[in-house]
């Protein structure tokens, strides 16, 4: 029969697209439990789901930050069975570290780290018993490589990476797979929400130089990166569908080839100097030429260039 796939954070973005693509699987391999914190936001998903609604896709309430909500959701599933868990729910966070309270940082970790861990704990005993299961985690390239002014967000995704690297080894013994998906920038509400947060904040406790770097250097560069390198949520969802459908699911999947060289810097130089200095140069020394380096990068990583340097 079809595998039950539970996806968190399906009211928008990648989660919504993933739920719909899985529900529309031509082989009808999946029964999708598309979950969201607030069911009042279900309309967009209902529309996108179309005829799959009530057939291969059902919508349920689930707040990854609440034990009670998770228990209630899983309790409502037949045998409480989840074959594939997709931890997609997450929140972004940017800003100078001086202006962020510890309480605010904890909120990011509550969702991005503890929320995902809560879900894993909830489905794991049954997966182990059945010697079958797959846990997919929406990480980020920022789970592999820190990015300036994303300190807390990157830390929350690094935390998830460490958690999964550790757990994957044990779970292999139970035929339960763990997969991390690392998208680069994706054009969803995610960036919009970040910009809204930023426009509301007054950045208390931040010195003028830092604030200027954040607002006048980082923010324009970030917008540039989203517009030149950003993927669609559909493309990321498609990559996740492949991960879920694989006979031997990969542990890591970087969805954006444009970003791979940036993450490779870190592994090319074990001292870490190369990546720290490259990022520093990109942001602070190239200034107005930032978009040019982005374009150069794009050129260096595109297929036609690679065919020229390394003909097959
Ligand atoms: P999004 O904001 O559209 O989606 C995130 C979803 O998570 C939202 O629907 C939100 O309501 C939900 N959510 C937040 N807190 C929740 C909670 N406590 N319980 C249940 N749901 C909750 O943005 P997105 O880009 O689709 O993000 C999906 C995932 O992809 C996130 O984990 C994000 O960190 C990751 N990601 C995004 C990008 C990007 O650039 N957009 C890049 C890399 C990774």
């Amino acid at each position: 029969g079809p595998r039950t796939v539970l996806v968190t954070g399906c009211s928008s973005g990648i989660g919504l697209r993933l739920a719909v693509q899985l529900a529309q699987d031509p082989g009808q391999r999946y029964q999708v439990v598309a979950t969201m914190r607030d069911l009042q936001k279900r309309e967009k998903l209902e529309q996108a789901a179309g005829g799959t609604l009530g057939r291969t896709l059902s919508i349920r309430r689930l707040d990854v930050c609440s034990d009670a909500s998770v228990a209630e959701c899983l309790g409502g599933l037949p045998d409480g069975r989840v074959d594939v868990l997709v931890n997609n729910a997450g929140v972004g966070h940017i800003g100078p570290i001086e202006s962020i309270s510890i309480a605010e940082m904890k909120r990011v970790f509550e969702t991005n780290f503890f929320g995902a861990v809560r879900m894993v704990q909830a489905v794991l005993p049954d997966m182990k018993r059945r010697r079958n299961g797959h846990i997919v985690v929406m990480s980020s390239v920022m789970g592999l490589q820190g990015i300036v002014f994303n300190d807390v967000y990157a830390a929350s995704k690094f935390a998830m990476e460490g958690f999964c690297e550790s757990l994957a080894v044990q779970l292999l013994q139970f035929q339960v797979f763990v997969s991390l998906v690392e998208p680069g920038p994706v054009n969803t509400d995610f960036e919009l929400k970040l910009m809204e947060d930023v426009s509301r904040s007054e950045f208390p406790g931040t010195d003028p130089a830092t604030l200027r770097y954040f607002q006048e250097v980082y923010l324009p560069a970030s917008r540039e990166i989203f517009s030149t390198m950003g993927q669609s949520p559909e493309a990321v969802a498609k990559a996740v569908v492949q991960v879920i459908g694989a006979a031997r699911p990969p542990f890591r999947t970087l969805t954006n080839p444009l970003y791979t060289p940036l993450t490779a810097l870190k592994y090319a130089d074990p001292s870490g100097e190369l990546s720290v200095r490259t990022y520093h140069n990109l942001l602070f020394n190239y200034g107005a030429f930032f978009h040019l380096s982005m374009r150069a990068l794009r050129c260096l990583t595109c297929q036609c260039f690679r065919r020229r340097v390394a003909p097959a």
Side-chain angles (χ1 to χ4, degrees), residues 246-267:
R248 263 188 77 168
F251 179 63
R252 277 211 171 86
T253 304
L254 283 131
T255 67
N256 191 337
L258 293 176
Y259 231 90
T260 312
L262 286 177
T263 48
L265 291 175
K266 179 166 174 172
Y267 303 106

Side-chain angles (χ1 to χ4, degrees), residues 45-312:
L45 174 60
E46 282 179 344
Q47 274 176 7
T52 66
L53 193 64
R55 298 161 69 101
T56 50
L57 186 147
S58 62
I59 303 178
R60 285 174 191 268
R61 200 188 97 78
L62 193 156
D63 176 353
V64 300
C65 293
S66 156
D67 288 337
S69 170
V70 172
E72 195 188 315
C73 180
L74 293 180
L77 304 179
D79 305 326
R81 203 186 90 192
V82 174
D83 298 299
V84 183
L85 165 68
V86 183
N87 278 310
N88 165 74
V91 291
H93 199 280
I94 51 174
I97 206 72
E98 295 90 333
S99 68
I100 311 166
S101 68
I102 297 285
E104 202 176 335
M105 297 182 198
K106 283 186 176 171
R107 276 199 297 277
V108 176
F109 271 77
E110 276 305 331
T111 307
N112 294 3
F113 181 69
F114 292 109
V117 171
R118 177 177 287 105
M119 292 305 299
V120 170
Q121 281 188 323
V123 301
L124 201 53
D126 191 48
M127 285 185 176
K128 279 184 163 179
R129 208 164 25 245
R130 292 188 290 111
R131 297 286 193 278
N132 191 304
H134 190 183
I135 294 166
V136 181
V137 175
M138 196 56 69
S139 177
S140 165
V141 288
M142 283 193 234
L144 301 171
Q145 167 73 63
I147 300 283
V148 64
F149 291 125
N150 280 267
D151 317 71
V152 179
Y153 176 74
S156 73
K157 294 294 189 184
F158 266 65
M160 217 44 232
E161 293 265 339
F163 178 87
C164 289
E165 273 187 7
S166 309
L167 190 63
V169 176
Q170 184 213 137
L171 294 192
L172 208 49
Q173 195 64 13
F174 294 88
Q175 283 95 57
V176 175
F177 292 99
V178 179
S179 295
L180 287 159
V181 179
E182 288 109 354
V186 189
N187 296 310
T188 61
D189 296 348
F190 191 80
E191 192 205 1
L192 211 75
K193 288 175 195 165
L194 285 179
M195 294 307 162
E196 275 171 18
D197 289 347
V198 163
S199 68
R200 267 199 301 271
S201 177
E202 279 163 19
F203 307 104
T206 309
D207 64 281
T210 305
L211 198 54
R212 194 162 47 78
Y213 288 139
F214 176 61
Q215 292 179 322
E216 290 166 32
V217 183
Y218 170 75
L219 287 181
S222 169
R223 284 194 199 96
E224 181 76 28
I225 288 186
F226 269 91
S227 71
T228 59
M229 297 177 108
Q231 276 185 301
S232 68
E234 286 83 0
V236 177
K238 201 172 155 202
V240 182
V241 169
Q242 267 171 9
V243 168
I244 292 174
R248 263 188 77 168
F251 179 63
R252 277 211 171 86
T253 304
L254 283 131
T255 67
N256 191 337
L258 293 176
Y259 231 90
T260 312
L262 286 177
T263 48
L265 291 175
K266 179 166 174 172
Y267 303 106
D269 170 18
S271 84
E273 279 288 288
L274 183 62
S275 67
V276 171
R277 291 193 176 270
T278 303
Y279 276 97
H280 178 259
N281 279 332
L282 274 175
L283 196 70
F284 292 102
N285 295 343
Y286 295 156
F289 298 112
F290 184 82
H291 70 280
L292 278 182
S293 43
M294 280 298 124
R295 255 200 241 161
L297 196 74
R298 216 175 173 175
C299 183
L300 282 170
T301 52
C302 96
Q303 285 302 327
C304 69
F305 183 82
R306 264 191 263 167
R307 268 197 301 271
R308 243 181 300 149
V309 250

